[in-house]
Amino acid sequence: MRRLPAVAVLALVAALAPPAAAVPAPDGGRTESGQAPPTRTAPAHGTPGKGPAASAPPYGTSESRQAAFARAARTYGVPESVLLAVSYLESRWDANDGLPSVSAGYGPMHLVDGRTGPGRHRHGGEDPRGDESRPRPPVVPEPAAPPPEDTLRRAAELTGIAPGRLRRDPVANIRGGAALLADHQRRTGERPSTDPARWYGAVARYPGTKDAGAATSFADEVYATIRTGVARVTDDGERVVLPAIPDLSPRRPPAPSGLLRAPAPAAAGPDCPPTVSCEWMPAAYRRLKNGDYGNHDRYDGPRRIDYIVIHDGESSYDAITRLTRNPTYLSWHFTLRSADGHIAQHLRGSDIGWHAGNWYVNTRSIGLEHEGYLAKGGTWYTEAMYRSSAALVAHLARKYGVPLNRAHIIGHDNVPGTTPEGVRGMHQDPGPYWDWAHYFELLGSPLTGSADPGSRSVLIRPDYALNQPRFTGCAKSGECPPQGASSVWLHSRPSEEAPLVKDIGKHPTGASNYGVYDHAARASTGQRYALAERRGDWTAIWYLGQKAWFHDPETARTSVPAAGRLVTPRPGRAPVKVYGRAYPEASAYPRGVPRQELIPLQYSLPAGQFYSLGMTSRATYLRAGALDPSRNRVVRGDVRYHQIQFGHRIMFVRAADVKVVPQEDPR
């Protein structure tokens, strides 16, 4: 896609009014509640108003979402296609149960309440660096973030609708967003027009960014959405359609003198595709007073990349990016902003970020932090951020040769613990509300599975909009609002009344539960598992050494057949030990490099069970620990490991302990 130079959009955004003072916002807790009734009935595609909120339309409104967009567009003279596309990029047309985004925005139009501040960033439990040979970095307080622009109250001034109603009522919220777009059109000097091509300047202003590149990128994505069209069922069961206008070409303004700040320059520029807004914002790298250093490791020469790890930051973009500049904290490669998809790069691809809680994964991965919260995830993982993230990941995957599948594009919640003691503390982001199916569509690699109905593997693939399982722990009430999810619950028997499967690492003495932060009994979209059995509307897979059942009715499948190789114990080797890292044998370590003990996890792979094979590699260990990267040592062993999908997380087994069998005949 051709990009407008950043300077060409400088005149599109007028000076912003000083925002109101910020006050702290309530934070969704990490409470893990006990077991609850499992799955709710979800809405049917193409049936507006059906589903969890059908019997009681949100906040007392009765107008459909589609009709609300049409009426607001007529009222304020905004092309309906522009209004729909802006809202889709900001919220995917969701009402989000009246809850604020990470940047204090509300409703389908993401009207920002400038009096509400961001939440808190937390790294709890695991050591994100994941190297037991070094002390864990201290947890530092989150720096204060500037208050956002108060578009909520500007919309209230323009419409005469009270701010409280704009927050709660999606119909009123859409009217407020339409009024804001019309106001932006006036401020750019453009006349009202029914031609969507003439609204580029107003669209670029809408997310409130002060960055020219981000404003341009947002507007480009809005018009790309209008050209392709889109249809979706929202979180409250509303079907909304934006018809395609394939030949639409926006009228871009000339390039005048600037009012927006330019991204920070970099010696070689940020490593992003040209279609996204990206700036270089380097992480801190310096020696500390105690003789240690932070907040990442550098590596001489090209580095092997096997994984791209998707995180959510549990905080605002401003707070997350400030933390990377603290040398006593942690590091990751990129941070993505929710409202407009803008990207900040902190580390080069050759640098090793301390982000995954597993040193083996850190040394072979690139980490992306996304603005947002796990428990509010589906609420504000915006389309703008999904698209920008997918464009970045596709670019990185091409550059480093990373396969576009769920064995290599993983969440932080798929990274294994390195020792039995560390399993319980591993992070759970981006969580069940990250839309993996949509993400892989944007990556250009849809999760379609296999056409062979006799396949011996299944790919988890529920319909995100229809799949609305019940979760607990999102708020003080203990209940999570109904919304689409990528996960399915796993039971010990083919019944919703049966207990969830046991995870002896996550819950050594207790049971798995339905908490949104408890991944112990969940399988996620795109993950491939060996088929164990089918019985009526239920499918069983091999999972953590046991048979795990999920609801998979023929009329509404939550899995599809999948192709791929499997592993099973060699005769006489069962039960097979399972590891959280693929480290070399003791004899491979040269003098001066401390041997890393091969500690198996508390799980094992029994005889007669099968697990999907992700990749095979020889054992390696990178010895770091000095500010000077020339002192790093790479230890390469002869032992080969297979990466398998053993539970919710990937794990490793020694190749010598298992045999690899083709998926069509795994016996």
mmCIF file of all heavy atoms in Angstrom, residues 352-374:
data_model
loop_
_atom_site.group_PDB
_atom_site.id
_atom_site.type_symbol
_atom_site.label_atom_id
_atom_site.label_comp_id
_atom_site.label_asym_id
_atom_site.label_seq_id
_atom_site.Cartn_x
_atom_site.Cartn_y
_atom_site.Cartn_z
ATOM 1 N N ILE A 352 18.440 -9.627 22.559
ATOM 2 C CA ILE A 352 17.650 -10.614 23.296
ATOM 3 C C ILE A 352 16.842 -9.895 24.375
ATOM 4 O O ILE A 352 17.403 -9.338 25.328
ATOM 5 C CB ILE A 352 18.555 -11.684 23.931
ATOM 6 C CG1 ILE A 352 19.362 -12.398 22.831
ATOM 7 C CG2 ILE A 352 17.727 -12.687 24.729
ATOM 8 C CD1 ILE A 352 20.483 -13.251 23.363
ATOM 9 N N GLY A 353 15.538 -9.879 24.199
ATOM 10 C CA GLY A 353 14.672 -9.245 25.184
ATOM 11 C C GLY A 353 14.416 -10.157 26.367
ATOM 12 O O GLY A 353 14.436 -11.383 26.248
ATOM 13 N N TRP A 354 14.166 -9.562 27.517
ATOM 14 C CA TRP A 354 13.818 -10.319 28.725
ATOM 15 C C TRP A 354 12.299 -10.225 28.884
ATOM 16 O O TRP A 354 11.789 -9.400 29.630
ATOM 17 C CB TRP A 354 14.517 -9.728 29.933
ATOM 18 C CG TRP A 354 16.025 -9.696 29.826
ATOM 19 C CD1 TRP A 354 16.806 -10.306 28.883
ATOM 20 C CD2 TRP A 354 16.928 -9.017 30.697
ATOM 21 N NE1 TRP A 354 18.140 -10.047 29.116
ATOM 22 C CE2 TRP A 354 18.248 -9.260 30.230
ATOM 23 C CE3 TRP A 354 16.762 -8.229 31.838
ATOM 24 C CZ2 TRP A 354 19.377 -8.733 30.854
ATOM 25 C CZ3 TRP A 354 17.884 -7.708 32.458
ATOM 26 C CH2 TRP A 354 19.181 -7.968 31.976
ATOM 27 N N HIS A 355 11.568 -11.066 28.191
ATOM 28 C CA HIS A 355 10.118 -10.886 28.113
ATOM 29 C C HIS A 355 9.309 -12.149 28.344
ATOM 30 O O HIS A 355 8.131 -12.066 28.685
ATOM 31 C CB HIS A 355 9.746 -10.299 26.742
ATOM 32 C CG HIS A 355 10.098 -11.180 25.582
ATOM 33 N ND1 HIS A 355 9.197 -12.033 24.985
ATOM 34 C CD2 HIS A 355 11.261 -11.347 24.892
ATOM 35 C CE1 HIS A 355 9.783 -12.670 23.990
ATOM 36 N NE2 HIS A 355 11.045 -12.284 23.909
ATOM 37 N N ALA A 356 9.878 -13.336 28.137
ATOM 38 C CA ALA A 356 9.058 -14.543 28.079
ATOM 39 C C ALA A 356 9.101 -15.387 29.342
ATOM 40 O O ALA A 356 8.344 -16.350 29.449
ATOM 41 C CB ALA A 356 9.470 -15.400 26.879
ATOM 42 N N GLY A 357 9.984 -15.093 30.290
ATOM 43 C CA GLY A 357 10.070 -15.915 31.492
ATOM 44 C C GLY A 357 10.725 -17.253 31.267
ATOM 45 O O GLY A 357 10.660 -18.130 32.124
ATOM 46 N N ASN A 358 11.368 -17.421 30.115
ATOM 47 C CA ASN A 358 12.035 -18.673 29.768
ATOM 48 C C ASN A 358 13.234 -18.287 28.916
ATOM 49 O O ASN A 358 13.075 -17.823 27.781
ATOM 50 C CB ASN A 358 11.064 -19.586 28.998
ATOM 51 C CG ASN A 358 11.668 -20.927 28.619
ATOM 52 O OD1 ASN A 358 12.789 -21.022 28.135
ATOM 53 N ND2 ASN A 358 10.893 -21.992 28.819
ATOM 54 N N TRP A 359 14.447 -18.467 29.469
ATOM 55 C CA TRP A 359 15.650 -17.995 28.788
ATOM 56 C C TRP A 359 15.837 -18.669 27.434
ATOM 57 O O TRP A 359 16.268 -18.030 26.470
ATOM 58 C CB TRP A 359 16.868 -18.218 29.680
ATOM 59 C CG TRP A 359 18.163 -17.749 29.086
ATOM 60 C CD1 TRP A 359 19.251 -18.497 28.770
ATOM 61 C CD2 TRP A 359 18.505 -16.405 28.747
ATOM 62 N NE1 TRP A 359 20.248 -17.717 28.245
ATOM 63 C CE2 TRP A 359 19.817 -16.420 28.222
ATOM 64 C CE3 TRP A 359 17.824 -15.179 28.825
ATOM 65 C CZ2 TRP A 359 20.463 -15.267 27.779
ATOM 66 C CZ3 TRP A 359 18.474 -14.029 28.380
ATOM 67 C CH2 TRP A 359 19.765 -14.081 27.873
ATOM 68 N N TYR A 360 15.506 -19.947 27.332
ATOM 69 C CA TYR A 360 15.627 -20.645 26.060
ATOM 70 C C TYR A 360 14.733 -19.980 25.003
ATOM 71 O O TYR A 360 15.162 -19.741 23.866
ATOM 72 C CB TYR A 360 15.245 -22.113 26.226
ATOM 73 C CG TYR A 360 15.289 -22.909 24.942
ATOM 74 C CD1 TYR A 360 16.495 -23.378 24.437
ATOM 75 C CD2 TYR A 360 14.122 -23.180 24.226
ATOM 76 C CE1 TYR A 360 16.539 -24.109 23.251
ATOM 77 C CE2 TYR A 360 14.158 -23.912 23.048
ATOM 78 C CZ TYR A 360 15.377 -24.368 22.559
ATOM 79 O OH TYR A 360 15.421 -25.075 21.383
ATOM 80 N N VAL A 361 13.498 -19.656 25.369
ATOM 81 C CA VAL A 361 12.590 -18.995 24.432
ATOM 82 C C VAL A 361 13.053 -17.570 24.161
ATOM 83 O O VAL A 361 13.012 -17.095 23.022
ATOM 84 C CB VAL A 361 11.146 -19.034 24.961
ATOM 85 C CG1 VAL A 361 10.207 -18.210 24.078
ATOM 86 C CG2 VAL A 361 10.648 -20.473 25.043
ATOM 87 N N ASN A 362 13.507 -16.861 25.195
ATOM 88 C CA ASN A 362 14.005 -15.498 24.993
ATOM 89 C C ASN A 362 15.087 -15.449 23.924
ATOM 90 O O ASN A 362 15.096 -14.557 23.069
ATOM 91 C CB ASN A 362 14.568 -14.937 26.296
ATOM 92 C CG ASN A 362 13.505 -14.435 27.247
ATOM 93 O OD1 ASN A 362 12.356 -14.236 26.865
ATOM 94 N ND2 ASN A 362 13.891 -14.230 28.495
ATOM 95 N N THR A 363 16.030 -16.390 23.989
ATOM 96 C CA THR A 363 17.173 -16.343 23.083
ATOM 97 C C THR A 363 16.786 -16.658 21.647
ATOM 98 O O THR A 363 17.571 -16.402 20.726
ATOM 99 C CB THR A 363 18.276 -17.322 23.528
ATOM 100 O OG1 THR A 363 17.771 -18.667 23.534
ATOM 101 C CG2 THR A 363 18.779 -16.973 24.920
ATOM 102 N N ARG A 364 15.585 -17.183 21.426
ATOM 103 C CA ARG A 364 15.169 -17.588 20.079
ATOM 104 C C ARG A 364 13.872 -16.902 19.656
ATOM 105 O O ARG A 364 13.155 -17.414 18.795
ATOM 106 C CB ARG A 364 14.972 -19.114 20.044
ATOM 107 C CG ARG A 364 16.186 -19.894 20.508
ATOM 108 C CD ARG A 364 15.838 -21.325 20.853
ATOM 109 N NE ARG A 364 15.720 -22.164 19.671
ATOM 110 C CZ ARG A 364 16.707 -22.915 19.190
ATOM 111 N NH1 ARG A 364 17.886 -22.934 19.787
ATOM 112 N NH2 ARG A 364 16.523 -23.655 18.120
ATOM 113 N N SER A 365 13.574 -15.735 20.237
ATOM 114 C CA SER A 365 12.272 -15.128 19.967
ATOM 115 C C SER A 365 12.351 -13.613 19.846
ATOM 116 O O SER A 365 13.331 -12.975 20.237
ATOM 117 C CB SER A 365 11.282 -15.486 21.082
ATOM 118 O OG SER A 365 11.633 -14.861 22.298
ATOM 119 N N ILE A 366 11.275 -13.059 19.335
ATOM 120 C CA ILE A 366 11.004 -11.624 19.313
ATOM 121 C C ILE A 366 9.696 -11.420 20.058
ATOM 122 O O ILE A 366 8.725 -12.157 19.845
ATOM 123 C CB ILE A 366 10.906 -11.100 17.870
ATOM 124 C CG1 ILE A 366 12.298 -11.110 17.217
ATOM 125 C CG2 ILE A 366 10.311 -9.704 17.821
ATOM 126 C CD1 ILE A 366 12.305 -10.712 15.764
ATOM 127 N N GLY A 367 9.659 -10.446 20.950
ATOM 128 C CA GLY A 367 8.486 -10.221 21.786
ATOM 129 C C GLY A 367 7.750 -8.948 21.422
ATOM 130 O O GLY A 367 8.357 -7.893 21.256
ATOM 131 N N LEU A 368 6.404 -9.057 21.321
ATOM 132 C CA LEU A 368 5.538 -7.922 21.025
ATOM 133 C C LEU A 368 4.591 -7.698 22.191
ATOM 134 O O LEU A 368 3.789 -8.573 22.533
ATOM 135 C CB LEU A 368 4.700 -8.173 19.758
ATOM 136 C CG LEU A 368 5.322 -7.961 18.393
ATOM 137 C CD1 LEU A 368 6.498 -8.884 18.139
ATOM 138 C CD2 LEU A 368 4.259 -8.121 17.307
ATOM 139 N N GLU A 369 4.673 -6.531 22.813
ATOM 140 C CA GLU A 369 3.734 -6.143 23.869
ATOM 141 C C GLU A 369 2.613 -5.310 23.252
ATOM 142 O O GLU A 369 2.867 -4.342 22.524
ATOM 143 C CB GLU A 369 4.441 -5.315 24.949
ATOM 144 C CG GLU A 369 5.356 -6.119 25.852
ATOM 145 C CD GLU A 369 4.631 -6.818 26.998
ATOM 146 O OE1 GLU A 369 3.381 -6.747 27.021
ATOM 147 O OE2 GLU A 369 5.312 -7.399 27.854
ATOM 148 N N HIS A 370 1.366 -5.669 23.558
ATOM 149 C CA HIS A 370 0.202 -4.960 23.051
ATOM 150 C C HIS A 370 -0.486 -4.230 24.197
ATOM 151 O O HIS A 370 -0.702 -4.815 25.264
ATOM 152 C CB HIS A 370 -0.781 -5.923 22.391
ATOM 153 C CG HIS A 370 -0.233 -6.607 21.182
ATOM 154 N ND1 HIS A 370 0.660 -7.660 21.262
ATOM 155 C CD2 HIS A 370 -0.440 -6.386 19.851
ATOM 156 C CE1 HIS A 370 0.977 -8.052 20.037
ATOM 157 N NE2 HIS A 370 0.324 -7.306 19.173
ATOM 158 N N GLU A 371 -0.826 -2.992 23.980
ATOM 159 C CA GLU A 371 -1.547 -2.229 24.986
ATOM 160 C C GLU A 371 -2.867 -2.925 25.283
ATOM 161 O O GLU A 371 -3.629 -3.260 24.378
ATOM 162 C CB GLU A 371 -1.804 -0.817 24.469
ATOM 163 C CG GLU A 371 -2.494 0.086 25.471
ATOM 164 C CD GLU A 371 -2.774 1.465 24.901
ATOM 165 O OE1 GLU A 371 -2.992 1.572 23.685
ATOM 166 O OE2 GLU A 371 -2.766 2.431 25.679
ATOM 167 N N GLY A 372 -3.149 -3.177 26.549
ATOM 168 C CA GLY A 372 -4.400 -3.832 26.898
ATOM 169 C C GLY A 372 -4.285 -4.654 28.154
ATOM 170 O O GLY A 372 -3.225 -4.712 28.792
ATOM 171 N N TYR A 373 -5.392 -5.280 28.509
ATOM 172 C CA TYR A 373 -5.488 -6.123 29.696
ATOM 173 C C TYR A 373 -6.071 -7.474 29.310
ATOM 174 O O TYR A 373 -7.017 -7.562 28.524
ATOM 175 C CB TYR A 373 -6.398 -5.493 30.750
ATOM 176 C CG TYR A 373 -5.874 -4.222 31.356
ATOM 177 C CD1 TYR A 373 -6.223 -2.989 30.815
ATOM 178 C CD2 TYR A 373 -5.035 -4.243 32.459
ATOM 179 C CE1 TYR A 373 -5.751 -1.811 31.371
ATOM 180 C CE2 TYR A 373 -4.563 -3.072 33.022
ATOM 181 C CZ TYR A 373 -4.925 -1.856 32.474
ATOM 182 O OH TYR A 373 -4.456 -0.692 33.013
ATOM 183 N N LEU A 374 -5.544 -8.516 29.891
ATOM 184 C CA LEU A 374 -6.026 -9.868 29.614
ATOM 185 C C LEU A 374 -7.518 -9.996 29.921
ATOM 186 O O LEU A 374 -8.284 -10.475 29.086
ATOM 187 C CB LEU A 374 -5.214 -10.868 30.432
ATOM 188 C CG LEU A 374 -5.463 -12.363 30.250
ATOM 189 C CD1 LEU A 374 -4.248 -13.129 30.743
ATOM 190 C CD2 LEU A 374 -6.686 -12.865 30.988
#
